Amino acid sequence: MAFDIEMIKEVYARFPERIAAARKAVGKPLTLTEKILYAHLTEGPASQSYARGKSYVDFQPDRVAMQDATAQMALLQFMQAGRDKVAVPSTVHCDHLIQAEIGAEKDLNKAKDKNKEVYDFLASVSNKYGIGFWKPGAGIIHQVVLENYAFPGGMMIGTDSHTPNAGGLGMIAIGVGGADACDVMAGLPWELKFPKLIGVKLTGKMSGWTSAKDVILKVAGILTVKGGTGAIVEYFGEGARSLSATGKGTICNMGAEIGATTSIFGYDEKSAAYLQGTGRADIAAMADAIAAHLTGDDEVYANPEQYFDQVIEINLSELEPHVNGPFTPDLAWPISKFAAAVKENGWPAKLDVGLIGSCTNSSYEDISRAASLAQQAVDKKLNAKSEYTITPGSEQVRFTVERDGFLDTFGKMGGVVLANACGPCIGQWARHGAEKQEKNSIITSFNRNFAKRADGNPNTHAFVASPEIVTALAIAGDLTFNPLTDTLTNSEGQQVKLDEPRGLELPAKGFAVEDAGYQAPAEDGSSVQVLVSPTSDRLQLLDSFPAWEGTDLKGLKLLIKAKGKCTTDHISMAGPWLKYRGHLDNISNNMLIGAVNAFNDATNKVKNQLSGEYGEVPATQRHYKAAGIGSIVVGDENYGEGSSREHAAMEPRFLGVRAILVKSFARIHETNLKKQGMLALTFANPADYELIQEDDAIDIVGLTEFAPGKPLQIILNHKDGSSNTILANHTYNEGQIEWFKAGSALNLIKAKA
Ligand code: SF4
């Protein structure tokens, strides 16, 4: 942790000067979000104000965190950067690949066996390059980060959408793709569109059955799954200060469900208490010393409408517990209205399973409050009617709640403790009978509840609530039960009522753990071997992509003219292909298989110009590659929208596609293509899309004078001997043109290293 203390000292030392400069540049009081963003500009103190929702700005994050599924390609790429060590403190967390089936120990052992080659690779590559490695069973990335690495005023990127969890401790923490993580670990700046700001003012104080989860369930209902897009949500007010740090983490975590870039709370006594409780009193003392910089200015919070793009106010004293769902996290029901909604909509009222835990809700506070209800079930002779599982977020929490007797209590209620991992939350749940696809209901304290996410059954109605509500409903076995007002019949035929849940924000005896599951990297990793079996079908070391040959590109075959929506899922499908995330050759067999061919309206069926036959897109492209012929992909509007996964840019590059020519790009994908050394071009006249014919051979002219703002010429050589010459625009700056010339951004970094 010493590495961190030095880093945090450096970050905090920058704050006063940077914030003063930002205040001057912006010309008015600052929100907390602005303070942290301006303190992390790569270029130094602010010389200008940035337009929210418009300006692209370079930042220097303090940390990188990666989960095991996404870390594979990020680290395979990082190995190409030619560095001895990562440029910023980074960690890998083995949490996504553990399947829940029987219980913690057996499931964990099975996962260690099944994923051995992936774990061995991640452990060895981490050891070599100075990356902290959290073994399988150590916990879920976001809980482990909150307990160990998050710090007020910091900036972190993570290769997982719920990275914003660290906002609970005042950190700007943003989910990114592996290519971004690789760049930051290699010492490059990280670009972000300066976000819009949504302020959420929390007044009053929660009590009884209401918990932090209900704040975000309510916010999700107000803003919907798209309402936070391009925005950072900043929480403030006396209500915010009354919430525990882990409760704040829950709220920030699930901010991903409203599409927010991230969410954040300011530093306060609760943050300090959590830092002290998790063995980081030194960081709390450092934060105390600059506390005024770790929250928004008073003027901002006094008149939020003048400083935020949108303001929402929620009175915690009046906030009811909520249940959101099914099938979407923004369908918000106050508990008093939920039973009627279940009946009116014909959702299965019988509750089959209640699941608590996950990175969203697995703090000591969450578990102790849920356990207080489980204890009541035992004391009041109530037999839990639903199956009930508990997923602790970290080994530290698991060990501590076991020591304090809570796991025993859950056991008495019939609960099953699962491994400290994602498990059912990411569909790693061998739920018996799910294949029958029967209509049923489950309720979880997780964050996402889209169809099929937990068990693959499209008819599972998944609802999301706080761990307390999940536990109460699991005891009742009935979705129409309202624990605030209703009674249950116990085994002796008596009517009994559950009392309000009670818990502790932090363990009275402090946290404890025997083996947290952390492996520190070697001081000098130069002799460490990265373990990748040459026969593995899940992992493959990368070779550098070849540099540009220095000439115009002539005679490129049209691989596909994609019609309509072509997201990164269409370009590099998820599902079963996720297994090959670390094996570029194998995963490339999914390249563009979801894209619709404009010439026949079919997916994965394109004309092979060499054989004249129709075949699958990857196979056709492999034929061109084998023949040493480059190709081009043509697309429609907003090509590459969706997830930021870098595979969608690496696969075409790997298989020999040279350019992507579209009406318009989704920005992240466009940047990913540039990083991989591809040409990302747009039709100067979008109507020229219609000129592209199925048998076209295409020339790209002007590359020897490739320059910012200067269009390239595209010559469409049609089969009948005619041709069209059109113009293609691009957004390459000088540096990005160097990436193209070098063959990729990583090649350039390597050359400089
Ligand atoms: S527990 Fe769920 S939401 Fe959290 S990191 Fe794992 S899969 Fe993602």
Side-chain angles (χ1 to χ4, degrees), residues 95-96 140-142 160 162 358-360 422 425-426 447 453:
D95 53 2
H96 274 60
I140 308 171
I141 175 168
H142 312 303
D160 189 273
H162 293 96
S358 89
C359 65
T360 329
C422 300
C425 184
I426 191 66
N447 40 35
R453 178 163 167 106

Side-chain angles (χ1 to χ4, degrees), residues 227-531:
T229 309
I232 292 187
V233 184
E234 182 171 324
Y235 291 83
F236 59 94
E238 44 157 343
R241 288 191 298 276
S242 72
L243 298 171
S244 66
T246 50
K248 291 173 175 131
T250 297
I251 294 169
C252 294
N253 176 303
M254 208 179 147
E257 271 49 69
I258 54 166
T261 303
T262 192
S263 305
I264 192 164
F265 281 81
Y267 178 71
D268 59 23
E269 304 81 40
K270 300 280 188 178
S271 330
Y274 186 72
L275 284 168
Q276 286 152 0
T278 49
R280 293 174 289 170
D282 40 4
I283 298 176
M286 285 159 60
D288 282 338
I290 61 155
H293 296 320
L294 299 175
T295 184
D297 287 343
D298 290 344
E299 297 90 326
V300 169
Y301 294 155
N303 297 294
E305 288 77 11
Q306 292 176 22
Y307 302 94
F308 290 97
D309 300 289
Q310 183 180 356
V311 178
I312 293 168
E313 188 166 331
I314 295 174
N315 183 345
L316 299 185
S317 308
E318 293 167 2
L319 182 65
E320 260 190 76
H322 275 60
V323 178
N324 286 21
F327 305 125
T328 183
D330 58 355
L331 193 54
W333 305 99
I335 190 88
S336 58
K337 304 223 163 57
F338 183 55
V342 171
K343 287 175 200 154
E344 273 162 29
N345 291 288
W347 299 325
K350 175 176 171 283
L351 178 63
D352 280 12
V353 195
L355 305 97
I356 68 160
S358 89
C359 65
T360 329
N361 269 116
S362 55
S363 63
Y364 187 87
E365 182 181 26
D366 290 330
I367 297 208
S368 61
R369 279 173 64 86
S372 78
L373 294 168
Q375 186 63 51
Q376 287 186 53
V378 177
D379 296 344
K380 298 183 183 188
K381 303 194 168 49
L382 289 163
N383 297 320
K385 300 275 188 348
S386 307
E387 285 178 42
Y388 183 70
T389 68
I390 304 101
T391 309
S394 71
E395 175 58 13
Q396 175 162 273
V397 164
R398 193 211 62 77
F399 190 95
T400 309
V401 297
E402 181 176 48
R403 178 201 66 190
D404 293 351
F406 300 142
L407 295 189
D408 251 6
T409 310
F410 289 131
K412 285 185 204 145
M413 184 186 125
V416 175
V417 180
L418 300 173
N420 312 321
C422 300
C425 184
I426 191 66
Q428 291 276 25
W429 186 18
R431 186 181 177 196
H432 301 290
E435 68 288 350
K436 290 189 222 148
Q437 305 214 338
E438 286 167 347
K439 201 169 162 185
N440 75 99
S441 288
I442 64 170
I443 188 164
T444 78
S445 71
F446 309 162
N447 40 35
R448 292 206 166 144
N449 59 346
F450 295 114
K452 302 208 268 186
R453 178 163 167 106
D455 63 0
N457 174 2
N459 300 316
T460 292
H461 291 55
F463 296 87
V464 180
S466 66
E468 298 89 317
I469 292 295
V470 171
T471 308
L473 267 52
I475 293 169
D478 181 356
L479 281 184
T480 63
F481 173 66
N482 179 352
L484 282 74
T485 53
D486 299 349
T487 55
L488 293 167
T489 311
N490 72 4
S491 58
E492 293 173 357
Q494 297 157 331
Q495 290 297 301
V496 293
K497 194 162 178 302
L498 292 171
D499 301 325
E500 290 172 354
R502 295 189 179 282
L504 289 170
E505 288 179 14
L506 292 164
K509 288 188 265 172
F511 281 108
V513 68
E514 259 167 22
D515 175 8
Y518 177 67
Q519 176 187 296
E523 268 306 308
D524 172 5
S526 55
S527 60
V528 174
Q529 278 288 324
V530 176
L531 302 178

Side-chain angles (χ1 to χ4, degrees), residues 15 44 64 66 70 87 101 122 126 177 217 274 303-304 306 324 360 390 408 430 583 619 682-683 698 705:
F15 264 68
V64 174
M66 292 164 280
T70 48
E101 186 177 6
L122 292 174
S126 299
L217 294 176
Y274 186 72
N303 297 294
Q306 292 176 22
N324 286 21
T360 329
I390 304 101
D408 251 6
H583 198 295
T682 51
F683 290 100
I698 297 172
E705 286 107 41

